[in-house]
Amino acid sequence: MTQLPDGRYVDDAPYDPEASLQQLERKDLDAPNWLLVWRKFRQHKLALVSGIFLLLSYLMLPFAGFIAPYGANERHEEHLYSPPQLVRFFHEGEFLGPYIYPMTAEANLETFQWEFKPDYDDPSRLQFFCKGTEYRLAGLISSRMHLFCAPEGQTVFLWGSDRLGRDIFSRILYGAQLSLTVGLIGITVSFVLGIGFGSVAGYFGGTIDWVINRVIEILRSLPELPLWLALSAAVPSNWSPVAVFFIISIILGILDWPGLARSVRAKFLALREEEFVRAAEMMGASSGRVIRKHLIPNFMSHLIASATLSIPAMILGETALSFLGLGLRAPAVSWGVMLNDAQNLASVDIYPWIAIPMLPIVIVVLAFNFLGDGLRDSLDPYQS
Amino acid sequence: MQILRYAIYRFGTMLLTLLVVSVMIFVIINLPPGDYLSNQIAELQATGQTSGVAKAEFLRTEFALDKPLWQQYLIWMGFMPGPHGFSGMIQGNFGWSFEFDLPVAEIVGDTLWLTVLVNLAAVLFVYLVALPLGVLAAARAKTWIDYTAALVGYLGLATPNFLLALILFYYGHKYLNLPIGGLMDPQFEGEPMTFEKMKSILVHLIVPTFVIGTSGTAAMMQRLRANLLDELGKPYVETAVAKGMAESKMLVKYPLRMAFNPFVADIGNLLPSMVSGSVLVSVVLGLQTIGPTLLTALKSQDQFLAGFVLMFVALLTLIGTMISDVLLVILDPRIRYEGREA
């Protein structure tokens, strides 16, 4: 509180223009829940940006083949470990549009490495909407059209190429298809199990509750990774990559449900005694209906927030398993499979770009964490 | 004596849990079709080496692999007499590794102690780092200290353990001349413990401890900060400040003690993830812990070895959790002794 020269008192606290937005007005209490949630969520800038980024990433997945200039397992024997090529726009002060300098590989017989020399006199422009390797759009429609490809007779490796001469940029896009969906499938499995067991335990109580509770405690007290390893070691090696992918995501989900089930159970215990549940039961609703129609909607939003926070653990889990060679296997492409190449420190030292797949992992995991935090804060709009 | 009773009760539940876990592990180990020996027999027959087949068949009966699964389990645990009478886990016979053609106990040997050592160091690291940082972040909430701590925490959560291991390993060696690979210099392997050996182990422990501990530290720090912030808003804090108590003294004396319980209780969540992390990091860094052994055993379906390692890892976390539960009761008299409800 400061006293102005004219005798008035002024609050020292800085003026917060957002304050009135936070205040709930009478008409807000009648507004639909999602509107209030959205209004609050919008203020978490970081969560908003993360959400948009994740949305775009997932929307991109079906079109990975279109955006990527090369196929996932397309090899360029002449360009092993090619360094990243920069896309430039101006050549000697003259605007040329996106172009690259062609790379020629030369074997250095002293170090036994390929050395790549850009040819600075011959800028060649990238082609757009051009024909390249065949791929399937969203896994269904066969197409040869690519967003951009290399000029005739040259290569474009935005993020370099790996030890077999495969384009890392294209592989990251294809890898996203598996790495990003593994978490979604896993979380679905975990959700179904968690809500199922948690609600049964919380609603019925008694012996069922005791048994489920012990199972939850046991599973939570065990380290996940060794069990993941043991379970994925049990996957027969002659299965197709798609089958392996599904079974790995299910394995990731199977060990994740206890945490969810525990919070569902706690919520149920609290809500079971509420009047509206009693009323529904009095009117003859079956247990299933009470659970589905009256109880679960009450904390669905919380569950969604906690699910968002556990997806990254699954993405990291898949990466770790594939990295150790027990998860997805080549020819399947995921970020973990790509990092398997980066296990060798010596080659990372010489060709640092083969470790690039760690960037999308870190970014996606961070984005999920921020989004989850934002959701958790904003899902209860009636709390100021 | 109530604490003693609680400790005994807690020990009992741990044994029961371990029993259930052993069944689970046995089932998982036996999920893949066939076993090491039957695969070997099929391979030998396919290549026409009949002499080896007889030996493998002999081993199969020797280790009761021809019996039904439930009997195999009971023999493995030592609840039922096998071909050589009662000799299972509880009698101290950990089985035979077919891959290495040695008893399991001989293969794991030293690695057990090193595993415990690595995990202990990581837990200590988590507490020593998370405690001051968490308190600082809460006491100076919404300042650059808080934001930096949060950023480091987020990065720690988001970077996969093994990548962090590779990066730190590389730079640690390049700039700080930290040793690469293993948990001790090669000349100390298999030697009795000396001061020199201890020093070598300690230097080798730096990078692994840091790597395994980071994600745990991040989570722990955030939780402590949240707990402490809740406490800081309470009236008794205001009273203490109003009475003119120094901030640091006040912090340590009242709110920190209140915020401390979840901190200790959290070890139940912390330990499993740390042990997971240590397995992964050991594989990447080539530490002589139980992690790489587990990986090779699982890949070659060496069932007794894999089973034992999994049991050991489970035991390690269960004991840790039990100790933390008992500690919690000693720390906080308000916690009821019998059957805490979640």
Side-chain angles (χ1 to χ4, degrees):
Chain A
M1 211 69 89
T2 331
Q3 194 175 13
L4 293 185
D6 59 359
R8 285 179 302 139
Y9 288 98
V10 176
D11 193 351
D12 281 331
Y15 170 64
D16 180 10
E18 303 262 287
S20 56
L21 271 177
Q22 306 254 15
Q23 219 79 68
L24 282 181
E25 286 169 20
R26 178 67 203 93
K27 70 174 195 301
D28 282 346
L29 293 177
D30 302 327
N33 201 28
W34 65 263
L35 189 74
L36 299 179
V37 169
W38 168 241
R39 197 183 292 169
K40 202 155 178 202
F41 181 71
R42 235 177 10 191
Q43 289 167 15
H44 288 262
K45 290 285 179 292
L46 206 53
L48 194 66
V49 172
S50 306
I52 292 171
F53 168 75
L54 287 174
L55 195 68
L56 289 180
S57 312
Y58 277 97
L59 285 179
M60 183 277 299
L61 292 186
F63 308 105
F66 171 66
I67 302 171
Y70 296 109
N73 288 311
E74 193 179 337
R75 295 176 54 178
H76 302 265
E77 285 85 354
E78 299 288 302
H79 295 86
L80 311 182
Y81 285 127
S82 163
Q85 284 169 289
L86 209 62
V87 176
R88 296 163 210 256
F89 290 90
F90 292 93
H91 180 64
E92 288 167 0
E94 198 183 334
F95 183 73
L96 267 187
Y99 74 92
I100 48 159
Y101 290 119
M103 288 276 200
T104 42
E106 261 171 47
N108 181 335
L109 290 180
E110 266 169 39
T111 56
F112 289 106
Q113 284 172 16
W114 287 98
E115 281 180 1
F116 289 88
K117 294 225 172 61
D119 179 2
Y120 289 115
D121 301 326
D122 181 22
S124 25
R125 257 186 261 179
L126 290 177
Q127 300 180 350
F128 287 93
F129 298 105
C130 41
K131 292 256 189 286
T133 12
E134 197 172 350
Y135 63 93
R136 283 174 178 278
L137 207 59
L140 300 170
I141 312 154
S142 175
S143 163
R144 298 176 70 88
M145 180 79 85
H146 288 261
L147 178 62
F148 68 97
C149 17
E152 275 303 309
Q154 284 156 24
T155 56
V156 51
F157 299 123
L158 292 184
W159 288 346
S161 69
D162 66 3
R163 85 194 139 84
L164 294 176
R166 297 172 296 195
D167 179 30
I168 290 183
F169 176 71
S170 305
R171 279 171 71 75
I172 284 182
L173 289 179
Y174 278 102
Q177 289 181 324
L178 293 191
S179 290
L180 289 181
T181 41
V182 114
L184 289 192
I185 298 177
I187 207 70
T188 315
V189 173
S190 149
F191 235 67
V192 171
L193 289 175
I195 294 183
F197 285 115
S199 52
V200 166
Y203 189 75
F204 294 109
T207 327
I208 303 182
D209 184 29
W210 189 88
V211 171
I212 292 179
N213 231 342
R214 290 297 90 77
V215 174
I216 291 176
E217 270 174 24
I218 291 175
L219 281 180
R220 275 175 69 91
S221 67
L222 292 178
E224 276 180 332
L225 189 87
L227 292 183
W228 278 344
L229 286 178
L231 282 172
S232 19
V235 178
S237 49
N238 53 1
W239 283 17
S240 75
V242 179
V244 173
F245 164 70
F246 276 107
I247 204 81
I248 293 282
S249 357
I250 291 171
I251 289 174
L252 291 174
I254 279 179
L255 291 180
D256 184 71
W257 68 267
L260 200 65
R262 219 165 80 140
S263 58
V264 171
R265 177 179 167 273
K267 289 273 177 204
F268 259 99
L269 285 181
L271 288 175
R272 193 175 54 182
E273 309 301 327
E274 295 276 335
E275 281 88 352
F276 66 90
V277 177
R278 198 62 56 79
E281 277 171 349
M282 293 286 183
M283 282 186 264
S286 64
S287 317
R289 188 184 162 83
V290 174
I291 291 179
R292 271 181 291 112
K293 293 275 174 188
H294 298 276
L295 289 174
I296 289 186
N298 253 301
F299 51 86
M300 202 56 198
S301 48
H302 274 273
L303 292 185
I304 290 173
S306 65
T308 317
L309 287 173
S310 53
I311 288 180
M314 299 200 178
I315 293 180
L316 289 180
E318 182 274 324
T319 317
L321 284 181
S322 306
F323 180 76
L324 292 178
L326 278 175
L328 303 172
R329 285 176 280 252
V333 188
S334 84
W335 295 339
V337 173
M338 294 178 73
L339 282 174
N340 205 330
D341 283 346
Q343 245 178 3
N344 187 349
L345 267 184
S347 55
V348 177
D349 193 13
I350 311 174
Y351 317 107
W353 54 90
I354 60 171
I356 286 183
M358 70 182 274
L359 287 183
I361 297 175
V362 173
I363 294 173
V364 164
V365 170
L366 273 182
F368 266 115
N369 271 318
F370 290 143
L371 178 68
D373 280 349
L375 280 178
R376 198 172 45 188
D377 284 350
S378 54
L379 278 175
D380 200 357
Y382 295 103
Q383 220 169 39
S384 66
Chain B
M1 279 303 93
Q2 279 230 289
I3 287 176
L4 198 67
R5 259 183 54 202
Y6 176 73
I8 292 169
Y9 160 80
R10 200 56 194 73
F11 186 70
T13 51
M14 189 198 83
L15 286 186
L16 276 180
T17 313
L18 203 60
L19 197 69
V20 179
V21 169
S22 73
V23 176
M24 221 171 77
I25 287 175
F26 188 79
V27 170
I28 293 178
I29 294 294
N30 281 289
L31 270 184
D35 51 63
Y36 185 85
L37 288 174
S38 62
N39 292 349
Q40 200 186 24
I41 290 173
E43 197 180 301
L44 288 174
Q45 272 167 350
T47 50
Q49 293 165 284
T50 37
S51 59
V53 175
K55 190 193 169 202
E57 289 283 3
F58 167 73
L59 282 174
R60 256 176 81 82
T61 43
E62 182 81 358
F63 292 103
L65 289 182
D66 48 353
K67 297 235 164 55
L69 266 188
W70 63 273
Q71 285 187 12
Q72 281 187 38
Y73 168 74
L74 292 178
I75 294 171
W76 178 58
M77 285 299 289
F79 295 138
M80 195 182 122
H84 299 281
F86 285 98
S87 106
M89 291 282 224
I90 19 179
Q91 284 86 12
N93 177 7
F94 300 140
W96 184 268
S97 159
F98 302 113
E99 173 89 352
F100 298 97
D101 223 358
L102 281 170
V104 168
E106 220 164 284
I107 294 173
V108 287
D110 261 1
T111 59
L112 294 186
W113 295 114
L114 291 173
T115 310
V116 176
L117 182 72
V118 168
N119 283 300
L120 212 63
V123 172
L124 271 181
F125 173 82
V126 168
Y127 278 95
L128 288 182
V129 176
L131 182 65
L133 281 185
V135 173
L136 204 62
R140 298 270 174 277
K142 311 238 155 155
T143 62
W144 65 270
I145 298 180
D146 188 23
Y147 293 132
T148 322
L151 183 72
V152 173
Y154 269 125
L155 281 180
L157 280 179
T159 321
N161 256 340
F162 56 92
L163 286 181
L164 198 64
L166 284 178
I167 297 169
L168 278 184
F169 208 35
Y170 178 63
Y171 285 105
H173 180 68
K174 203 165 174 184
Y175 296 114
L176 300 175
N177 206 17
L178 289 175
I180 274 199
L183 265 180
M184 58 190 93
D185 287 331
Q187 73 259 28
F188 293 118
E189 257 171 70
E191 295 289 307
M193 183 62 81
T194 56
F195 182 69
E196 287 297 310
K197 182 173 172 178
M198 200 128 97
K199 218 169 72 183
S200 167
I201 291 181
L202 281 183
V203 175
H204 280 79
L205 261 181
I206 297 175
V207 172
T209 309
F210 197 84
V211 173
I212 300 168
T214 307
S215 62
T217 311
M220 191 71 107
M221 207 175 75
Q222 282 178 358
R223 204 153 308 154
L224 183 67
R225 176 179 173 273
N227 283 333
L228 202 54
L229 273 184
D230 279 352
E231 290 296 326
L232 283 178
K234 290 194 175 161
Y236 70 87
V237 175
E238 210 165 320
T239 314
V241 174
K243 284 191 159 190
M245 204 168 175
E247 196 198 356
S248 57
K249 198 174 162 198
M250 183 275 296
L251 258 182
V252 176
K253 203 153 176 171
Y254 305 115
L256 190 58
R257 274 182 71 172
M258 301 296 293
F260 214 66
N261 278 340
F263 199 58
V264 175
D266 213 36
I267 198 164
N269 295 328
L270 182 70
L271 254 184
S273 70
M274 298 270 256
V275 173
S276 283
S278 76
V279 168
L280 189 58
V281 171
S282 300
V283 172
V284 177
L285 297 187
L287 309 182
Q288 295 97 328
T289 69
I290 218 160
T293 322
L294 175 67
L295 197 64
T296 45
L298 283 175
K299 277 185 175 163
S300 60
Q301 249 188 314
D302 196 349
Q303 49 184 342
F304 289 129
L305 185 57
F308 172 75
V309 174
L310 285 174
M311 281 298 284
F312 179 77
V313 169
L315 183 72
L316 198 64
T317 46
L318 288 178
I319 290 183
T321 320
M322 184 187 80
I323 292 177
S324 88
D325 274 5
V326 175
L327 268 185
L328 195 61
V329 172
I330 297 175
L331 257 181
D332 188 351
R334 288 173 308 179
I335 288 176
R336 276 175 293 143
Y337 287 107
E338 254 121 73
R340 280 186 304 125
E341 278 298 303

